[in-house]
Amino acid sequence: MKLQRKNMLRASALGALVVSGALVLTACGSDDNTKGTDGSAKPSAAAAGDIKCDDAKGKLLASGSSAQKNAIELWIKNYMAACSGVEVNYKSSSSGEGIVAFNQGTVGFAGSDSALKPEQVEESKKICTGGQGIDLPMVGGPVALGFNVAGVDKLNLDAATIANIFNDKIKKWDDEAIKKLNPGVTLPSTAIQAFHRSDDSGTTENVTKYLKAAAPDAWPDEAAKKWAAPGGQAASGSAGVAAQVKQVDGAIGYFELSFASAQGIKTVDLNTGAAAPVKATGENASKAIAAAKIAGTGSDLALKLDYTTKAEGAYPLVLVTYEVVCDKGNKAETLPTVKSFLNYAASDAGQKVLLENGYAPIPAEINAKVREVINTLG
């Protein structure tokens, strides 16, 4: 472990203990800082004033989206350091698995990179007595297209070319379509190895929403959590896809930016039609998310994203991870902890953690509504 100091002691490292596939973080009092090779988040100091433990106690189970794994690890570490006697356990799997667990009543909340479908809302009413499941946007960020092509350090692609790469229509890195977008770059004839998620994934759904919206002629498949395009190779979770891209020459795959940053994986700049290709950064993702509109009704704050924006500096291949909770009918024994933890995640300090680790904070106007809804949960 590596000790770091910058004027003040940085936050302690993640002590991640994986038990039966579930991530359990404990406050160990260590001052060491680590950064996992699997994309684990960098440590960040939490403002103690933004963590209000209230009546939180006992164990809170949650599961779902692997996209927010690196953010929620830090939230849990900071929260548990401030709230003694509380254990928050988040199983990073997939959005689909998180929703299943939520609607089975085995978790206090679920992380999902896509909003609840009508049939999932209906099913949630069996668990949320007198209420239903709702979507609270909590984590934003760019979906990076990571690549590993020997001798190539910078790569520009547009939506149609990306679609044809993942549709198995463009098979070599020196294809004319790629060369046209990268003048002056020497591209090898290496075979393209495209990696996608094997599990039902909200990240996949957002990637396919982007391709369907921005390149409809090249991407005939409907947006979905399950990968439907021909060809390519599958890997489990964002960490699995990132690991394959890191290891395989000629590879390209999609995953959240924090996974690319942690492993030193180069990422594609998107040619959106703006004056210059746009890099995958938290700031650039925020510019795209800022144009989102609330599509949900009542306490549900599901967002409609604009995947076709040509605004300068806006990176449109984004996702928003929702924390799915009951608006009413939450379990009495976990409700105080759910509200306390989510209030921290939506606080200024909690959202600052996102920007420090390659994610994008939820726009302030939307986040203010998230906080209002959290305080009404029953």
Side-chain angles (χ1 to χ4, degrees):
M1 291 189 176
K2 182 180 179 182
L3 188 63
Q4 298 180 347
R5 293 179 182 270
K6 282 190 178 180
N7 300 327
M8 62 179 289
L9 188 62
R10 297 293 298 248
S12 61
L14 300 174
L17 178 63
V18 179
V19 179
S20 300
L23 177 69
V24 182
L25 296 180
T26 57
C28 61
S30 169
D31 289 330
D32 294 334
N33 288 337
T34 61
K35 180 179 178 183
T37 58
D38 65 346
S40 56
K42 296 179 294 184
S44 171
D50 279 348
I51 300 179
K52 296 179 173 57
C53 305
D54 297 326
D55 297 321
K57 60 184 178 181
K59 180 184 291 187
L60 171 63
L61 301 179
S63 69
S65 164
S66 65
Q68 70 171 354
K69 172 181 179 290
N70 299 328
I72 207 163
E73 283 180 355
L74 274 173
W75 283 342
I76 292 173
K77 178 190 71 69
N78 291 342
Y79 180 78
M80 288 176 56
C83 300
S84 60
V86 180
E87 181 181 294
V88 182
N89 178 316
Y90 183 80
K91 180 182 178 182
S92 174
S93 51
S94 68
S95 298
E97 291 181 32
I99 296 302
V100 169
F102 178 76
N103 280 338
Q104 289 176 342
T106 60
V107 295
F109 70 88
S112 177
D113 304 325
S114 56
L116 291 166
K117 302 289 191 293
E119 61 272 18
Q120 293 171 329
V121 173
E122 194 61 32
E123 187 178 356
S124 74
K125 294 178 181 178
K126 300 173 185 177
I127 298 300
C128 306
T129 307
Q132 65 181 45
I134 58 172
D135 304 286
L136 300 180
M138 202 71 73
V139 181
V143 180
L145 290 164
F147 69 94
N148 178 3
V149 183
V152 179
D153 294 322
K154 183 176 174 57
L155 187 66
N156 300 327
L157 296 174
D158 59 16
T161 306
I162 294 165
N164 285 327
I165 286 172
F166 282 98
N167 264 334
D168 205 30
K169 292 181 179 178
I170 295 178
K171 300 178 181 293
K172 301 283 187 179
W173 280 109
D174 62 351
D175 187 276
E176 288 300 321
I178 301 177
K179 289 167 68 175
K180 185 177 179 180
L181 293 166
N182 295 274
V185 177
T186 301
L187 294 162
S189 60
T190 308
I192 293 174
Q193 306 286 339
F195 288 90
H196 57 264
R197 291 278 291 271
S198 61
D199 45 339
D200 284 4
S201 160
T203 308
T204 294
E205 184 169 16
N206 280 275
V207 169
T208 53
K209 280 181 178 179
Y210 164 73
L211 294 174
K212 186 68 175 177
D217 293 338
W219 193 262
D221 300 304
E222 292 301 318
K225 288 187 174 72
K226 191 71 175 176
W227 187 260
Q233 302 176 61
S236 178
S238 292
V241 175
Q244 290 299 315
V245 173
K246 177 73 173 178
Q247 295 168 10
V248 178
D249 183 28
I252 185 170
Y254 58 86
F255 34 81
E256 293 66 45
L257 180 62
S258 59
F259 290 90
S261 300
Q263 298 192 49
I265 298 172
K266 296 182 287 289
T267 61
V268 170
D269 295 349
L270 289 184
N271 187 325
T272 64
V278 184
K279 294 185 179 299
T281 68
E283 292 87 347
N284 291 344
S286 288
K287 293 176 183 177
I289 296 172
K293 306 296 183 185
I294 293 177
T297 58
S299 296
D300 187 88
L301 299 179
L303 302 178
K304 181 176 177 58
L305 298 168
D306 181 6
Y307 295 100
T308 62
T309 180
K310 295 179 175 59
E312 297 300 325
Y315 184 88
L317 181 45
V318 296
L319 62 72
V320 169
T321 300
Y322 301 95
E323 311 310 340
V324 176
V325 294
C326 296
D327 57 356
K328 302 296 178 186
N330 290 279
K331 294 179 180 178
E333 62 269 26
T334 56
L335 177 60
T337 308
V338 168
K339 293 175 71 172
S340 172
F341 177 74
L342 293 183
N343 263 319
Y344 163 58
S347 70
D348 290 341
Q351 290 292 295
K352 183 181 178 184
V353 164
L354 301 181
L355 197 56
E356 292 173 346
N357 289 278
Y359 293 94
I362 300 300
E365 183 178 348
I366 297 172
N367 195 44
K369 294 180 180 180
V370 171
R371 296 179 192 178
E372 290 176 7
V373 172
I374 291 170
N375 290 326
T376 67
L377 299 179

